[in-house]
């Protein structure tokens, strides 16, 4: 299980030697995935060898292969979410500006995103994506001054959104990003935005009143 990394900018991550070895490990993984290898067929020894690091260094830098992918997904979506201005989060959302921007960023990062989506299990996306989405929902609540969701409602909402995002990205990657971000954004907004806004503005789902 991942620890909460979203606001984690630990000093060791700024050490140039550590950064170089971690970058080499990430690049080695991506190289193997781009070559057609499925994630489940890879071993720590293979990735360490291609990165020119020892197994000991691999474990010290990134933990396990699963943790490596989760960290890469988290860093990618943290970077994308950092581009979202609070004004884009004001409800009611008008137009597709937010979705187009996010999908455009995904397309710009397709060299990293595509092999991770195509070759790695969806389960490795859920926790890091959920972490970023929970942070984004907190921003939406703050910007719009809406009631906070109950923890159980937020958990279901975040999981549903994360699943939809991964599913949309998987199809987009499989199709070679042939659709434009605008076209994908129209579909995603139709699917998600109206219901999401209703839930956020109401502070969660309300139980039916008994008669």
């Amino acid at each position: 299980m991942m620890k909460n990394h979203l606001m984690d900018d630990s000093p060791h991550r700024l050490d140039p030697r550590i950064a170089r070895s971690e970058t080499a490990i990430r690049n080695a993984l991506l190289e193997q995935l781009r070559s057609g290898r499925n994630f489940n067929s890879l071993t720590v020894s293979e990735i360490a060898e291609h990165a020119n690091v020892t197994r000991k260094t691999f474990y010290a830098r990134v933990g396990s292969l699963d943790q490596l992918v989760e960290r890469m997904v988290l860093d990618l979506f943290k970077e994308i979410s950092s581009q979202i201005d609070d004004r884009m989060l004001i409800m009611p959302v008008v137009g597709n500006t937010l979705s187009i921007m996010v999908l455009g960023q995904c397309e710009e990062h397709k060299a990293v995103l595509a092999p991770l989506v195509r070759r790695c299990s969806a389960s490795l996306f859920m926790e890091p994506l959920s972490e970023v989405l929970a942070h984004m929902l907190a921003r939406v609540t703050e910007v719009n001054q809406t009631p906070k969701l109950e923890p159980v409602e937020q958990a279901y909402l975040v999981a549903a959104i994360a699943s939809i995002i991964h599913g949309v990205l998987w199809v987009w990657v499989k199709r070679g990003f042939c659709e434009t971000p605008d076209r994908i954004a129209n579909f995603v907004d139709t699917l998600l935005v109206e219901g999401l806004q209703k839930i956020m503005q109401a502070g969660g789902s309300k139980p039916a009143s008994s008669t």
Side-chain angles (χ1 to χ4, degrees):
M1 180 177 292
M2 293 177 64
K3 67 177 182 177
N4 191 319
H5 285 296
L6 192 54
M7 305 307 292
D8 175 25
D9 290 308
S10 305
H12 80 268
R13 293 186 62 77
L14 303 179
D15 185 306
R17 293 170 301 174
I18 293 177
R20 282 195 297 271
S21 59
E22 186 170 336
T23 297
I25 291 169
R26 291 181 180 216
N27 288 340
L29 173 66
L30 290 172
E31 180 183 348
Q32 292 304 303
L33 296 176
R34 289 172 187 146
S35 74
R37 294 286 300 278
N38 283 322
F39 175 76
N40 288 338
S41 72
L42 297 173
T43 66
V44 168
S45 295
E46 284 182 283
I47 300 303
E49 181 179 354
H50 283 282
N52 198 28
V53 301
T54 64
R55 284 169 55 92
K56 182 178 179 181
T57 297
F58 179 97
Y59 288 121
R61 299 294 182 261
V62 299
S64 66
L65 284 170
D66 283 4
Q67 288 173 313
L68 171 59
V69 172
E70 288 179 327
R71 181 75 225 190
M72 292 173 71
V73 172
L74 180 64
D75 286 349
L76 175 60
F77 284 97
K78 276 175 61 179
E79 171 62 25
I80 292 173
S81 68
S82 72
Q83 306 300 313
I84 299 174
D85 188 278
D86 282 351
R87 290 171 295 182
M88 296 180 178
L89 304 177
I90 296 173
M91 297 186 292
V93 175
V94 179
N96 302 120
T97 303
L98 175 58
S99 295
I100 291 171
M101 189 281 289
V102 170
L103 289 163
Q105 286 287 308
C106 288
E107 189 174 37
E108 285 187 22
H109 290 86
K110 65 183 178 182
V112 173
L113 184 64
L116 293 177
V117 170
R118 191 73 184 269
R119 300 295 175 184
C120 298
S121 168
S123 64
L124 296 177
F125 278 75
M126 290 303 293
E127 196 163 347
L129 253 181
S130 295
E131 188 174 327
V132 175
L133 288 168
H135 182 67
M136 288 301 304
L137 289 180
R139 285 180 60 190
V140 171
T141 298
E142 182 178 354
V143 167
N144 293 278
Q145 294 296 295
T146 54
K148 289 185 178 180
L149 298 176
E150 292 294 327
V152 66
E153 292 175 324
Q154 175 160 312
Y156 278 108
L157 180 60
V158 164
I161 298 171
S163 296
I164 290 170
I165 289 173
H166 181 269
V168 168
L169 290 175
W170 191 87
V171 174
W172 202 22
V173 166
K174 186 178 180 181
R175 290 176 54 80
F177 292 89
C178 62
E179 289 81 24
T180 65
D182 306 55
R183 182 174 181 184
I184 304 297
N186 286 332
F187 172 78
V188 171
D189 281 3
T190 300
L191 184 64
L192 277 179
V193 172
E194 184 177 350
L196 177 59
Q197 288 185 142
K198 285 181 179 179
I199 291 172
M200 295 298 294
Q201 289 173 330
S205 59
K206 303 299 181 184
S209 57
S210 57
T211 55

